[in-house]
Amino acid sequence: MNESVKGQIIHEIFHNEENWYTITKVKVLETSTPIEDKEIVVVGTFPSVYPEDVFIFTGYWKDHPRFGRQFHAESYEKDWPKTREGIIKYLSSDLFHGVGKKTAEKIVDHLGENALTVIAENPDSLHEIPGMHPSRANEIYQVIIEHKALEQAMVFLYRFGIGPNLAVRIYQVYLQDTLRILQENPYQLIEDVQGIGFKRADEIGRGVGIGADSPQRLKAAIYHLLSEAAHGSGHVYLPQDVLIEKSIQLLYEINNSYLFETSQVETGLLQLIEEGKVVLDEERCYLPSLYYAEVGFARKVLDLLQTKLESNLSMAEFFQGLGEVEEQLGIEFAPTQREAIEKAMTTPFMILTGGPGTGKTTVIKGICHLFSIIQQISINPEDYRDPEGDPFPILLVAPTGRAAKRMSEATGLPAMTIHRLLGWKGDFFERDGDHPIDGKLLIVDESSMMDMWLANQLFRSIPEGMRVILVGDADQLPSVGPGNVLHDLIRSGQVPVIQLTDIYRQAEGSSIIELAHYIGKGEIPPDLEYPKKDRRFFSCTPSETVELIKRVCQGAIEKGYAVRDIQVLAPMYKGKAGINELNKELQELFNPHSGKKREITYGETTFRVGDKVLQLSNNPDQHVFNGDIGEVMAVITPEESNEKEPMLVVHFDGLEVIYGRSQLHQLTLAYCCSIHKSQGSEFPIVVIPVLLSYYRMLRRKLIYTAVTRGKTYLILCGQREALEKAVKESGEELRYSFLIQRLHQMPD
């Protein structure tokens, strides 16, 4: 049950301008339930506060392990001063720069004790005050109107169950126009504010009297479905008839008082097209950014394929150079590997694919060394230290930091993320068609993870004459974002593809690789439950799964493995054996609360020194990206750092990143993570629960991707029938993409 506190601000302890997270000391004036304290600490999301401001906070009490009892405000309302003395004190506060007590008295004497309302409703009223400079009058009006607009917007949004964090994001987008937009067209939020979908916007729409048959409502539903199809289901477009049918269904499900006709939806769609919010290409409906990405990517692929190489390589030169590489590396390439290397030397664009253990990394290394011999260029990074000199000629990139690191370790050459190569700045890329990347050869590993947006951005940044090789496993999960780029390029038949099939790590005795290839073919090996030296399957009930995982992890620790070597992978966040619950249980196993280690709590998560954590979003300023795994090294108090908030220091593969409390939404515990987040990574020990309760996620590619993360030891646990169901479920969820057809239809 929510409680309320009316209090006067004593002083602000901390305020984050970016997300408005605020900690303030408050003198208690009234409470909904009696308390003994005369002064309390209030924590919440609201604008910067000033001494002697009075607020009514609604929320709940919470005991902080270090700072004691605090009131967590879920909503607030400013108690505007109503007396002459109160208004004078308010106008002469730090909120109004340059307004002293005398000026404040003049304002109240002239406008009366209703001065704040008079100013908000009539800004010209301040100009009537003798000696009031126009610029000062405007400043006073702006401050009052902004704070009133903010409060009105926040109170309005609270009515619809929108919490302070989301309410702040909405206000930061629209500022003083927030209430007007909410009342006139709340559906605009769907386009402008992340986290607002159609159902939430429609609830506000109904609340302000927008009818069920409103054209605004109709267009918002169409746009929402198209956006959700891209971000949630991986579709590049939706067929027009599918979009129309889904729109009618969504609108009726939410409010069955009115059923739209097909002709009405067609009219709404046409209006969105005229407004430039949707692109219709024949019968395909696109978000504009995805339409131009698909068209641009297809055109660039065809341009690459038509590139004429500078020199023709004779077979004698090829075999001579290949012999030098084999001698340098001390290996002998198999026939298909030689074929792949030859193709890389003789074509401007190719794809190298194959399952785990088939030698893709060996081929990449061979390509790099042979390219340097044929092109007569050095691939020693030391020769490219001069910032004014030539750039390193071979660009090795991958979608994630861990995949790039693996690539660098395997080849001995520098590698980086695609985002870093393209100069991602948080909201734009530095590299594009006008500012291309530098180099002679581009190799992209784990390319199955590239979505259409990223693939287009990368390819439009490729300069004329650069050769390109995409490397990946087509049996892995497709990208989280829209499209199925690698799969479509292979299926198109337009791009040269070399598929490696011989399994070399199996010859070394890897039953993990053997299992992966069985799964890839839709089969379960007959010896699944027979203990192997590098994998086990433990049959258990759902209620036993969490304890079994903990015992397995404890056993690995006792055998000398470090926490960073052990990775639990699960397909879903919720549930008793979901990622969230497993992280809590595994934190207590690996890094329990002892009172000896510093910790900081953010929301429902406690971060403790020694914890394994996962980066959830790209942070280009700090050079950490979505999916990077690190370790909490320190918790620093405000007293130690002279900062206003505690800070967390996280170590990521040689890089230390500092997070303020307000930035902790970028992190989560990583003892267990999603299979999608694990793509591009390998771990010495991987533990995978497989349960029928995961039924919505039980797909062959998901299990295949999880299994292929295991490098040294793999443990599957749970229900055999769940694993069988997943392996037999070969069908991918359909992703609408027109890339294959564009590669065939585009003119030369």
Side-chain angles (χ1 to χ4, degrees), residues 103-347:
T103 303
E105 288 174 342
K106 273 188 184 182
I107 293 171
V108 177
D109 288 341
H110 195 82
L111 300 178
E113 293 187 2
N114 202 26
L116 298 178
T117 301
V118 172
I119 295 168
E121 294 176 353
N122 179 19
D124 292 336
S125 60
L126 286 167
H127 296 285
E128 302 168 2
I129 299 171
M132 177 66 68
H133 194 277
S135 63
R136 180 63 45 76
N138 186 58
E139 287 175 16
I140 294 171
Y141 169 73
Q142 288 297 329
V143 171
I144 290 174
I145 201 68
E146 282 176 16
H147 278 71
K148 278 190 171 290
L150 169 61
E151 182 188 333
Q152 289 170 342
M154 301 290 264
V155 170
F156 181 88
L157 289 166
Y158 293 152
R159 284 169 43 200
F160 298 98
I162 294 177
N165 291 326
L166 187 52
V168 164
R169 291 215 306 272
I170 293 170
Y171 181 78
Q172 288 174 330
V173 171
Y174 302 119
L175 299 177
Q176 291 168 222
D177 291 326
T178 301
L179 192 60
R180 178 183 62 79
I181 289 171
L182 289 170
Q183 292 174 331
E184 293 178 4
N185 184 18
Y187 299 104
Q188 186 66 36
L189 272 65
I190 298 170
E191 298 179 41
D192 298 337
V193 183
Q194 187 177 2
I196 296 288
F198 179 77
K199 290 183 180 179
R200 181 66 63 84
D202 198 47
E203 185 181 352
I204 300 173
R206 289 199 302 273
V208 298
I210 296 176
D213 61 346
S214 163
Q216 277 181 322
R217 180 171 181 260
L218 169 60
K219 290 194 296 183
I222 297 170
Y223 184 87
H224 164 78
L225 284 167
L226 205 52
S227 180
E228 186 63 24
H231 294 95
S233 303
H235 298 301
V236 181
Y237 72 88
L238 282 181
Q240 185 175 356
D241 58 345
V242 171
L243 180 57
I244 290 172
E245 182 183 345
K246 284 180 175 289
S247 299
I248 294 171
Q249 184 179 352
L250 173 65
L251 289 159
Y252 188 72
E253 281 178 357
I254 294 177
N255 187 346
N256 58 16
S257 63
Y258 186 82
L259 181 64
F260 279 92
E261 299 288 340
T262 298
S263 59
Q264 292 174 292
V265 183
E266 288 173 343
T267 300
L269 179 58
L270 181 61
Q271 290 173 353
L272 286 170
I273 293 166
E274 291 171 347
E275 293 167 10
K277 294 178 180 178
V278 174
V279 172
L280 180 64
D281 183 29
E282 296 182 354
E283 299 298 313
R284 297 176 295 277
C285 299
Y286 291 83
L287 294 176
S289 63
L290 275 174
Y291 171 75
Y292 293 114
E294 186 179 79
V295 170
F297 178 71
R299 182 169 289 118
K300 184 66 178 187
V301 167
L302 293 175
D303 287 346
L304 274 171
L305 291 170
Q306 292 164 9
T307 301
K308 293 187 183 299
L309 298 180
E310 292 179 1
S311 60
N312 292 320
L313 177 68
S314 71
M315 292 309 296
E317 290 172 319
F318 169 74
F319 282 113
Q320 181 181 342
L322 189 66
E324 290 182 41
V325 172
E326 289 181 326
E327 191 172 332
Q328 285 177 5
L329 302 181
I331 59 176
E332 182 178 347
F333 293 110
T336 52
Q337 292 178 322
R338 289 184 180 184
E339 182 187 359
I341 296 171
E342 180 190 350
K343 186 68 70 175
M345 296 302 113
T346 55
T347 57

Side-chain angles (χ1 to χ4, degrees), residues 272 573 629:
L272 286 170
Y573 282 88
I629 292 178

Side-chain angles (χ1 to χ4, degrees), residues 49 55 100 114 127 137 194 202 231 240 260 337 344-345 360 387 399 427 500 511 518 524 572 576 611 664 719 724:
V49 294
F55 286 87
N114 202 26
H127 296 285
Q194 187 177 2
D202 198 47
H231 294 95
Q240 185 175 356
F260 279 92
Q337 292 178 322
M345 296 302 113
K360 295 189 296 293
D427 53 1
L500 303 177
S511 71
Y518 264 104
I524 297 284
M572 296 178 69
K576 292 182 179 178
D611 272 337
L664 292 180
Q719 297 163 292
E724 290 174 343

Side-chain angles (χ1 to χ4, degrees), residues 80 89 122 205:
W80 294 89
K89 189 175 288 187
N122 179 19

Side-chain angles (χ1 to χ4, degrees), residues 401-420:
R402 290 183 70 85
K405 185 183 178 187
R406 281 176 49 212
M407 201 179 186
S408 180
E409 289 171 346
T411 62
L413 300 175
M416 67 185 80
T417 63
I418 298 173
H419 281 82
R420 186 171 181 183

